[in-house]
Amino acid sequence: ILIEELINSPEKLKLGGEKKEITILFSDIAGFTSISEKLTPEELVSLLNEYLTEMTNIILKNNGLVDKYIGDAIMCFWGAPLDNKNHAIDACTSAIEMQNKLEELRSIWKEKYGVEVVARIGINTAKCVVGNMGSSDRFDYTAMGDGVNLASRLEGINKSYGTYIMISEFLKEKINSKFIAREIDTVRVKGKNNGVKIFELVNYKNKISKKELEKIKEFELALKHYKKQEFAKAK
């Protein structure tokens, strides 16, 4: 579909951008430096290619565009260059499927390579500049802006909270009909002046157990007490 659009509109193959609402996802393997030190170069390349293939297949299946690979990290987004009104839903679907696939492959890779592969994901919805950026002779189609930076920060912030899929309040309001997300905190990430509510993407609404739902509600009640500085009740 993308190739057809470029054939029909060759003017799109030039430097320049437009502002569009998109959903951006960053993923990264936890402790990748330690993993790389345990493997031979050949083993590392083999594992990385297997991992990136599996994750990329899921992103593409759910209408995503893989922007770039940065070592073990993946940057991708939904909603450009092709319009997609379900960009937020598709991104969250991909994140859950990526974690489920890793759950399947973790023991296989542990036996094959002797290392455990765990990935963290950050997702945000925002208006960003998307388009061809680079030099006049060599350029990439990519996304830029504050919203992209926030998605990247959300990926890294998982480490502080022991979570694996962190999303912003801006994304959360677009997926309430399909997914359950647990409010975690309000943070001011690097480069932002105002606090942003962050949520853990837990699961599809129709796949969450009653026990998990009760646990989330209990946590959210504790969070309300915490915000009121009622620390004994929160505990």
Side-chain angles (χ1 to χ4, degrees):
I1 296 171
L2 176 57
I3 298 298
E4 286 174 1
E5 184 164 319
L6 291 174
I7 291 170
N8 295 328
S9 307
E11 69 277 3
K12 292 185 178 181
L13 283 171
K14 64 180 182 179
L15 291 176
E18 61 177 325
K19 203 160 192 178
K20 289 187 79 172
E21 183 181 84
I22 61 172
T23 297
I24 313 102
L25 182 152
F26 279 85
S27 75
D28 210 354
I29 294 176
F32 184 70
T33 302
S34 299
I35 289 174
S36 63
E37 289 171 351
K38 293 175 184 175
L39 302 178
T40 65
E42 292 79 11
E43 288 173 330
L44 183 62
V45 169
S46 178
L47 171 61
L48 200 50
N49 284 337
E50 286 180 39
Y51 165 78
L52 292 173
T53 296
E54 294 289 351
M55 299 300 102
T56 300
N57 286 343
I58 291 169
I59 293 162
L60 297 179
K61 177 174 71 77
N62 290 300
N63 309 307
L65 176 72
V66 176
D67 184 308
K68 58 178 68 75
Y69 304 115
I70 312 159
D72 60 302
I74 303 170
M75 174 186 169
C76 55
F77 54 85
W78 287 257
L82 301 179
D83 291 333
N84 176 4
K85 64 180 181 180
N86 295 316
H87 54 82
I89 298 288
D90 286 347
C92 290
T93 299
S94 295
I96 288 176
E97 288 184 3
M98 288 163 77
Q99 293 293 7
N100 288 344
K101 177 57 72 172
L102 282 177
E103 190 72 30
E104 285 177 32
L105 294 169
R106 197 165 287 124
S107 58
I108 296 170
W109 286 339
K110 177 78 173 175
E111 187 175 337
K112 185 176 178 180
Y113 297 104
V115 295
E116 194 157 325
V117 179
V118 175
R120 301 188 184 104
I121 295 172
I123 326 174
N124 181 40
T125 293
K127 284 192 175 180
C128 302
V129 176
V130 291
N132 297 313
M133 299 172 201
S135 74
S136 57
D137 294 323
R138 185 180 291 269
F139 50 80
D140 290 324
Y141 187 86
T142 190
M144 296 178 70
D146 198 41
V148 177
N149 296 337
L150 178 56
S152 176
R153 303 293 182 196
L154 290 174
E155 182 277 313
I157 213 169
N158 278 293
K159 190 174 182 181
S160 299
Y161 294 92
T163 53
Y164 297 99
I165 309 176
M166 194 74 83
I167 68 174
S168 70
E169 60 181 285
F170 315 114
L171 172 59
K172 199 261 183 187
E173 65 186 24
K174 294 182 178 293
I175 61 160
N176 286 329
S177 62
K178 297 259 185 187
F179 298 92
I180 292 288
R182 176 172 67 120
E183 185 178 350
I184 297 293
D185 206 346
T186 300
V187 299
R188 194 183 76 173
V189 297
K190 188 176 178 183
K192 297 282 286 184
N193 292 323
N194 299 321
V196 175
K197 281 187 180 179
I198 58 174
F199 297 78
E200 177 192 18
L201 183 65
V202 180
N203 210 336
Y204 305 100
K205 270 190 172 179
N206 60 1
K207 290 190 177 179
I208 197 159
S209 69
K210 189 177 177 181
K211 187 176 180 181
E212 281 180 302
L213 208 53
E214 287 172 356
K215 193 175 179 182
I216 290 166
K217 286 179 180 177
E218 188 176 16
F219 179 87
E220 288 179 343
L221 179 62
L223 191 60
K224 284 180 182 177
H225 287 306
Y226 173 80
K227 286 180 178 181
K228 292 177 183 176
Q229 298 185 11
E230 297 170 352
F231 301 122
K233 286 182 180 178
K235 189 176 180 181

